[in-house]
Amino acid sequence: MPFHRFVEIGRVALVNYGADTGKLCTILDVIDQNRVLIDGPFPVTGVKRQQIPIRWLALTDFKVHIGRATRNKALVKAFNGSAITTKFAQSAFGKKLAAKTKRAAMTDFDRFKVMLAKKKRSVLINQELAKLKKAQAKK
Amino acid sequence: SPSRWFVCSLCSSRRQLWTYSSPSMARTPKTRNTPLAGGIMKLSKSVMHKKAGRWHRPKKVVESQKAAAAPAPVVKQIGGEKNNGQRTILPKGPKFYAAEDVPKPLSKIRAVRPTRLRSSITPGTVLILLAGRFRGRRVVFLKQLPSGLLLISGPYRINGVPIRRVNQAYVIATSTKVDVSGVPSLDKFTDAYFKKPSKVAGKKSEEEFFAAEEKKKEIAPERKDDQKLVDESLIAAIKKVPTLRQYLGARFSLRKGQKPHEMKF
């Protein structure tokens, strides 16, 4: 099984640990085997330029075309040019993350409404299933 | 705004200074002093006395400290030629002087006020009762009584919970609010309204003692009327929100994998 996501210059990653948890960042430079230099860019994602252990990152499918340790202005241009934020939100990873945060932010009333919706959905599914079973039995 | 965390400049260790929910609740005085490390301030008490201008402030005279005015001597008119016409009678001193120093009792400065109400609980908040006869029910909060207990109502027609008192400690406040602007005045609901009549402790005869207690608890018609009065407007407001009536009628319970400290209510 080949790898598709690499720790490389321009790779967009999600910070999984530390103060910037949940934010996207771009890998600008590799420091050593365990650490990389990242930047949000700060005006776009809120992650300041810093070194970070690779263990704290979750790599995404996206890559930005930049040179080594690009400065802020060029980085913002490249990042926004590739529309990374919207692309990530539309990706499976991004959608799952959004669903997770939404679920965590549910209030007691929301949970109740979800329960009602799930019940309705299962009723519809079971009705269809019953129809299919009936059709099958007739054959 | 003041930082919740005190960071030691020497060892960079952090200490949480206060655990209030908002910084405004921490009554930190505005001082012209700076902390150094470990709770030690830069300027001493005497230096701060000068700096804050405390020498300049007028002393507040506490009523109790004012010495009671000594009773005035009484001047009595007396008869008799050689008796000078009048006598000045000085007030007598106390008959008893304590042999030992009497310890002064500690001052009782305590304002009697209802329990501090959590900021998440406002009139109309849906509460989840955690204990008691109606545990698991979702009810509507109406107001806080002077005793500190919370006045709640089911409403009765929705979940069987009458207008009742409930302790704040046994309640989870949800973020769901019901519009209670239409609810009539709740002034008649006081702690005295709910107080159980005290049972007169008397000697029971043998027959009474062994007789089966078949008294049915009769609810006074006034209570029922009050319940209807309050619930009418509540239910009208609840009906306006879709599925809110079902929500209040349902019971709360924890499901598998749910952790209350990680849940948002």
Side-chain angles (χ1 to χ4, degrees), chain A residues 103-113 115-116 120, chain B residues 128 138 175-176 242-244 246-247 250 252 263-265:
Chain A
R103 223 175 279 133
M106 272 202 290
T107 67
D108 191 48
F109 192 20
D110 292 334
R111 265 176 254 127
F112 180 78
K113 286 189 247 184
M115 185 264 287
L116 291 180
K120 270 192 184 168
Chain B
I128 300 171
R138 295 175 173 117
S175 48
T176 319
T243 68
L244 184 61
Q246 291 163 278
Y247 173 64
F252 170 82
M263 284 161 69
K264 204 186 134 203
F265 286 96

Side-chain angles (χ1 to χ4, degrees), chain A:
Chain A
M1 292 249 303
F3 289 101
H4 299 287
R5 301 175 187 171
F6 301 99
V7 172
E8 55 194 327
I9 295 167
R11 175 66 55 186
V12 175
L14 186 83
V15 181
N16 253 344
Y17 189 85
D20 292 319
T21 304
K23 297 182 189 164
L24 287 176
C25 65
T26 328
I27 296 174
L28 297 173
D29 200 355
V30 177
I31 298 168
D32 67 9
Q33 193 182 313
N34 298 320
R35 294 178 170 272
V36 287
L37 179 72
I38 57 157
D39 198 349
F42 180 66
V44 182
T45 65
V47 178
K48 289 187 190 160
R49 185 169 284 232
Q50 59 194 288
Q51 57 126 30
I52 195 169
I54 295 170
R55 294 182 91 233
W56 291 19
L57 299 176
L59 303 176
T60 66
D61 288 325
F62 307 106
K63 198 177 155 193
V64 182
H65 185 68
I66 51 165
R68 187 177 71 89
T70 318
R71 288 265 189 79
N72 197 30
K73 205 161 87 177
L75 180 61
V76 170
K77 199 171 167 192
F79 197 88
N80 287 333
S82 314
I84 298 291
T85 325
T86 44
K87 275 193 195 162
F88 179 72
Q90 287 161 7
S91 69
F93 189 177
K95 283 185 188 167
K96 274 190 217 165
L97 211 71
K100 203 173 176 187
T101 46
K102 218 176 183 181
R103 223 175 279 133
M106 272 202 290
T107 67
D108 191 48
F109 192 20
D110 292 334
R111 265 176 254 127
F112 180 78
K113 286 189 247 184
V114 165
M115 185 264 287
L116 291 180
K118 279 188 179 173
K119 272 187 165 180
K120 270 192 184 168
R121 188 179 71 169
S122 69
V123 160
L124 293 172
I125 290 170
N126 287 334
Q127 279 173 355
E128 276 305 309
L129 186 66
K131 279 188 207 165
L132 291 170
K133 276 187 178 172
K134 211 172 176 185
Q136 187 70 24
K138 271 189 179 173
K139 282 186 186 170

